[in-house]
Every structure is written in structure tokens, then in C-alpha cells.
Amino acid sequence: MLSKESKIYVAGHNGLVGSAIWNNLLQRGYTNLVGRSHKELDLTDQYAVKKFFDEEQPDAVVLAAAFVGGIMANMLYRADFIMMNMKIQCNVISEAYAHGVKKLLFLGSTCIYPKNAPQPMKEDCLLTSPLEYTNEEYAIAKIAGLKMCESYNLQYGTNYIAVMPTNLYGPNDNFHLENSHVMPAMMRKVYLAKLIHDGEWDKIAIDLNKRPVEGVTGEGLLLHQPSYILHRDEVLSKLAKYGIFDNRVVLWGTGKPLREFLWSEDMADASVHVLLNVNFSDIIGIEKYSSVHFGASTDGAVDRNHSAGRGGYIPSLGEIRNCHINVGTGKELTIRELSELVVKAVGFEGTVEFDASKPDGTMRKLIDVTKLHSLGWTHKVEIEDGVQKLFDWYKHSLEA
């Protein structure tokens, strides 16, 4: 087990989930944390990762770093999505093993499941039918990552756990309109449409300066600035491309698809709970697992790094697979219902329209969280409260 003095490396500690996990660990008294920004450590660089592990010698690793993006990015940069993520995973997991890391937590995504998987999606539906084409490469990389964890455990007796979160939202979310996910994009659109109607160009300028849209900032938007009228026309034209108008927002699709959302700080709490309290033996059945003679493989060879590990495939255990854990709420709502919550949080009095000529995407993506609940964790933040919390955070981020 990890102690309060254990050194824990959080890969991706500046991201949506990584930053929340970092803060959750600190709140629990785990202060010996190590993090590196992408500039400080390129996780796709095998030699740099080895050097980092040589120097830091962490006791535990949380692998929350990934090469990510929205649907368009997944379609355009397919080679990057599979190669970059595979490199990150291979480098970190292999060096964790080489340096005797006691515990590793790998974060994936529920996009690993088949496009037409039965709902709600259980862990056992993995690899039962084709994936969604638009994010196939990212999903394959994440499947490889969870299989690495599973396979290292089975061959070497390591304690690597993989968790698969549903759609996440929360502090440090990405609100850039070009590549953000559904909730932050919707929230910003509604907020900007309200500001346009209210004539609050000073707040629009602050918003665009913080997060430019296709390179367009808030410079030149105010009355005392030269050519402000021309620039306002440019801004309105640019925002219209994203369905943002005066007191009116147009969203893609019919609004009928169902989605599940999890507050990122809940995800962090679940991750830390698993890191500190759940072992591989708990997932596959402790009685069956502990009845095995540890430390020797089927050919009699001793596990060179983990004397207490399984040390090889043992036929009496049968097939062991799908050892990952779904992390979510087990609850869903339609995109239209989500838009109503966003409208309420923002205080928007205009109209929200849906463009049915645009694609809806997968109609339902609900996960089964029975395994997670059996391991002692359930979510705390309900979507109604979470949407308001996210908008409060967004407004605060504009003031920072």
C-alpha cells in the first residue's frame, strides 16, 4: 500500500483530470508529488522518459497524459492519435515496470467500446464489435493501454489498474470553440450570445482575448479603439460560423442523443480511491487470485522483479480479461436537456435552436458502473449542480 510519504508521479498534471487528481491527492495528505509539463518532459521520447524515471524513482504513477482532441482532429490526424498515444503509454508503462513502480493507474476513455454496444455498456462488451470510425485510432491506442496493464499484471504480477471515464467536464476544461467538447462549447456559445444581446462588448473583448476564435481576439472592440465598428462586424461574422448570434444559439443535430457526464473532480476522487484502495486481485476475484502459488511461472522460473507476483500464465485461473473499471454516474440526459441546464446557469433569455441537417453522432453512450460501485465508490456531483459549477468556474477564469 502507498503511504503519505510515497512519491507519486502524475503524468498530465496540468490537464482537466490530471490537475484534479493532483489536488485530490494533496487534500488527502499525499504531498510527495512529481509532475512535468510537456515542455519539461516529452513522454513520446523514450530516452527522456527513462532519464526521468532514473532520476525520480517514483513509487506510483498516474498516467493521465494523452494526445487528445475533438471529432475533427481525430479525423484529420489519425496517424498522430494512434502513434502519439501508443508512444506515451509504452514509454511510461515499460519504464514503470523497469523501475519497480508499486502501483500504476492508467486513464482511458469509454470510446473504447463498440459503436453499437448494448446499453448501458459493461466492461465485458470490449472488443465484441466494430468501433466508431471517427475516433478509431484513439480508441485502439487506449485499448492497447488497458491491455498492457492487464498483461503486465498477468505475466509479472504487477499492480496496474485501468479506469475508463465517461464524458468529463469541470475546472480547467477546454472552452476553445474549434476543438472543445459538447458542454463547454455549448456553454460559451450561450454566454457569448447573451453578451451580444446585452451589448456587453467589454466582456466579449475579455472572453476573446482569453480564448481567441480562429485567431480573432477582442482587440479593437471597444468604443475608444480605432475601427471598432469594423472589428465588431468581423467578430459577429466569425461567431456566426459557430452558431452564435444576437440572443440566439444554433446547435448541431436534433438534441435527442443521450449523454452521460461526470464532474472532473469526481473522476479524480474515483481515480485516487482506486489508486489507494483497489488492487488487481480485487478486480479479478481475491479468493481465486490469492489461492495461486505466487512468485513462480508455469515453467518454474522466478519473477525477477516481483517475487510476490503471479509470474506467468496459470491455466487454472482460466481466461482473465476486461479488468478495467468504468467510471461514471450511470445516469444520462439528452443534449436538449443539457442545453436547458446551460441556459438556466448562464441566465440566457434568448432561443436555442437545433440544426437537424447536422449529424447527431452516436445516439446513446451510457456506461454500466456496477463494478465501480462494488469497489466502494459512487459519484457526488449531479449534473444540475455541475453545470452551474462549471459556468461559475468559466466566469472566474475570465477574471484571472
Side-chain angles (χ1 to χ4, degrees), residues 283-301:
I283 297 171
I284 67 172
I286 191 165
E287 292 182 5
K288 181 167 67 171
Y289 189 80
S290 60
S291 66
V292 176
H293 173 67
F294 295 120
S297 66
T298 51
D299 62 2

Side-chain angles (χ1 to χ4, degrees), residues 24 27 134 199 207 308:
N24 190 285
Q27 291 165 9
T134 56
D207 184 282

Side-chain angles (χ1 to χ4, degrees), residues 19-29 265 268-270 272-273:
S19 61
I21 289 174
W22 182 282
N23 292 332
N24 190 285
L25 285 165
L26 288 177
Q27 291 165 9
R28 292 174 185 245
E265 292 174 338
D269 193 62
V272 176
H273 173 81

Side-chain angles (χ1 to χ4, degrees), residues 53 61 91-102 104 160 306:
F53 274 84
V61 171
N91 291 340
V92 174
I93 292 174
S94 63
E95 290 304 327
Y97 172 68
H99 290 81
V101 165
K102 298 174 184 176
L104 182 143
Y160 300 167
H306 299 272

Side-chain angles (χ1 to χ4, degrees), residues 208-261:
L208 293 177
N209 283 335
K210 187 78 173 184
R211 299 175 180 86
V213 177
E214 295 186 15
V216 175
T217 70
E219 296 300 323
L221 273 180
L222 305 183
L223 289 173
H224 65 275
Q225 296 170 328
S227 304
Y228 73 91
I229 294 177
L230 290 175
H231 190 58
R232 287 185 182 183
D233 288 342
E234 179 187 7
V235 167
L236 291 173
S237 175
K238 190 67 67 177
L239 294 181
K241 287 179 57 180
Y242 293 91
I244 304 166
F245 304 93
D246 180 349
N247 222 30
R248 182 169 67 97
V249 172
V250 180
L251 303 175
W252 277 27
T254 63
K256 295 179 181 179
L258 289 156
R259 290 293 181 269
E260 174 184 15
F261 294 95

Side-chain angles (χ1 to χ4, degrees), residues 157-360:
T158 50
N159 202 8
Y160 300 167
I161 312 297
V163 291
M164 301 294 131
T166 188
N167 302 297
L168 300 174
Y169 69 105
N172 296 315
D173 216 330
N174 174 16
F175 283 82
H176 290 276
L177 294 179
E178 295 97 313
N179 57 8
S180 59
H181 291 130
V182 60
M183 191 187 300
M186 180 188 296
M187 185 170 286
R188 190 180 180 197
K189 289 176 182 180
V190 170
Y191 177 63
L192 286 170
K194 181 179 187 298
L195 294 183
I196 293 170
H197 179 71
D198 294 345
E200 297 195 70
W201 288 97
D202 55 335
K203 292 183 178 180
I204 295 173
I206 292 170
D207 184 282
L208 293 177
N209 283 335
K210 187 78 173 184
R211 299 175 180 86
V213 177
E214 295 186 15
V216 175
T217 70
E219 296 300 323
L221 273 180
L222 305 183
L223 289 173
H224 65 275
Q225 296 170 328
S227 304
Y228 73 91
I229 294 177
L230 290 175
H231 190 58
R232 287 185 182 183
D233 288 342
E234 179 187 7
V235 167
L236 291 173
S237 175
K238 190 67 67 177
L239 294 181
K241 287 179 57 180
Y242 293 91
I244 304 166
F245 304 93
D246 180 349
N247 222 30
R248 182 169 67 97
V249 172
V250 180
L251 303 175
W252 277 27
T254 63
K256 295 179 181 179
L258 289 156
R259 290 293 181 269
E260 174 184 15
F261 294 95
L262 179 68
W263 182 246
S264 61
E265 292 174 338
D266 268 358
M267 174 58 196
D269 193 62
S271 298
V272 176
H273 173 81
V274 170
L275 179 70
L276 301 179
N277 301 297
V278 178
N279 296 310
F280 184 62
S281 57
D282 300 319
I283 297 171
I284 67 172
I286 191 165
E287 292 182 5
K288 181 167 67 171
Y289 189 80
S290 60
S291 66
V292 176
H293 173 67
F294 295 120
S297 66
T298 51
D299 62 2
V302 176
D303 182 344
R304 60 185 177 86
N305 282 334
H306 299 272
S307 59
R310 276 193 62 198
Y313 168 63
I314 298 176
S316 62
L317 290 182
E319 292 186 354
I320 295 176
R321 63 177 78 237
N322 302 328
C323 302
H324 56 287
I325 306 167
N326 286 340
V327 181
T329 65
K331 301 178 180 181
E332 59 189 347
L333 78 168
T334 66
I335 296 299
R336 184 179 294 276
E337 289 170 334
L338 175 64
S339 72
E340 292 167 357
L341 293 178
V342 170
V343 163
K344 180 180 178 182
V346 175
F348 183 60
E349 296 180 352
T351 60
V352 174
E353 302 170 9
F354 287 87
D355 183 356
S357 69
K358 297 294 193 297
D360 268 329

